[in-house]
Amino acid sequence: MAKLVVLSAGLHGRTHEIVDKTTIGRVEDNSFQIAEPSVSSHHCEILLRGSDVVVKDLNSTNGTFISGEKISESVLKPGQTLRLGQIELQLLTEGMPVPPPSAAPAPAPAHGPGPASGPVPAMPTGTPPRKPMEQTSGLQRGVSLDQLSEGSRQTGFDTTSKGFSKKNNQTNRLFIIGAIVVGLVILVAVIIVLNQARH
C-alpha cells in the first residue's frame, strides 16, 4: 500500500495511506490535513488510477511541485518528492524506509499568525547544510551562518573598487566648462535686459 510521509521538520514522520481519492489541505475537511500557512485550504488531491498515483493541483496559491517541477496534474512515483507550499512529502511503498527530515523551514503554529515561538529544530548530525532554494517558492530563505561569518571578516570599505573611484578629470572639465558657458549666457541676458530697461 502506498503512503505519503511528511519530510518537513516539525511535521516529519506524519503519514497518510493513499486511498481511491485523498484531498490534502490546511482545513479539517481534507482527508490529510496539513495545518501550515503556505498550504492552501484545499491544496491538491491524490487519485489512484490503476497502479498510478496521480496528483492534481486544486488551484493552490503556492503551487504543487513534483521533484521541483510545478504541475497541474501529474503522476507521482515512489521516492519522488511532492512539495505543497513549504511542506515536502514523499511517496513511499511497502518496505521503503522513512527518509530523514528535509531542511525546509519549520511550519508556523496553527493557532494564528505571528512570530513562531519555541526552539528551532536542529539539523540531524552529519547532514550537510542545504543551499537556499532558488526562487521556486517565491519566498526568500535568508542568510546562512557561513555567509554571516564571511561578512563579519570584511571590515571597512574597499576604496579601490570602481564605485568609490574619483570621477574622470575630463568629465569634470566638461562639466565646469558647461557651467561657465551657461553662467555667461545668463549674465549676457541680464545685461541686455538691464540696458533695454534704461532706454
Side-chain angles (χ1 to χ4, degrees):
M1 181 65 79
K3 64 181 177 179
L4 282 172
V5 61
V6 180
L7 303 180
S8 299
L11 296 172
H12 178 256
R14 280 191 59 197
T15 60
H16 185 82
E17 270 191 20
I18 305 295
V19 292
D20 290 341
K21 181 179 177 183
T22 302
T23 58
I24 305 176
R26 194 177 64 246
V27 295
E28 292 177 8
D29 64 353
N30 289 285
S31 313
F32 188 19
Q33 181 190 12
I34 301 176
E36 203 278 332
S38 67
V39 176
S40 292
S41 55
H42 298 95
H43 201 104
C44 68
E45 66 182 10
I46 313 262
L47 306 163
L48 287 178
R49 290 187 187 153
S51 61
D52 288 340
V53 175
V54 178
V55 180
K56 183 178 179 185
D57 183 72
L58 299 175
N59 296 318
S60 62
T61 303
N62 293 319
T64 300
F65 297 81
I66 293 179
S67 297
E69 300 265 334
K70 188 171 185 178
I71 59 105
S72 55
E73 184 173 325
S74 184
V75 173
L76 178 65
K77 295 177 182 169
Q80 284 188 314
T81 303
L82 172 66
R83 184 163 55 83
L84 314 176
Q86 295 293 309
I87 299 297
E88 288 188 344
L89 305 100
Q90 192 173 59
L91 180 64
L92 302 179
T93 54
E94 281 185 48
M96 290 179 72
V98 175
S102 70
H111 54 75
S117 58
V120 176
M123 287 184 66
T125 311
T127 305
R130 276 191 173 183
K131 291 184 180 174
M133 282 187 166
E134 296 176 6
Q135 299 302 319
T136 53
S137 62
L139 298 174
Q140 191 171 359
R141 296 280 183 152
V143 180
S144 72
L145 287 174
D146 293 337
Q147 291 169 324
L148 281 176
S149 60
E150 285 173 19
S152 64
R153 289 186 212 124
Q154 300 171 353
T155 56
F157 290 103
D158 181 10
T159 55
T160 60
S161 69
K162 198 169 185 180
F164 291 98
S165 62
K166 290 185 177 179
K167 285 186 178 177
N168 189 332
N169 282 342
Q170 185 176 359
T171 306
N172 284 344
R173 281 192 210 123
L174 289 174
F175 180 79
I176 291 169
I177 291 168
I180 291 170
V181 169
V182 169
L184 286 174
V185 169
I186 292 172
L187 185 62
V188 169
V190 168
I191 291 171
I192 291 170
V193 169
L194 288 175
N195 281 339
Q196 287 177 352
R198 287 181 190 164
H199 297 300

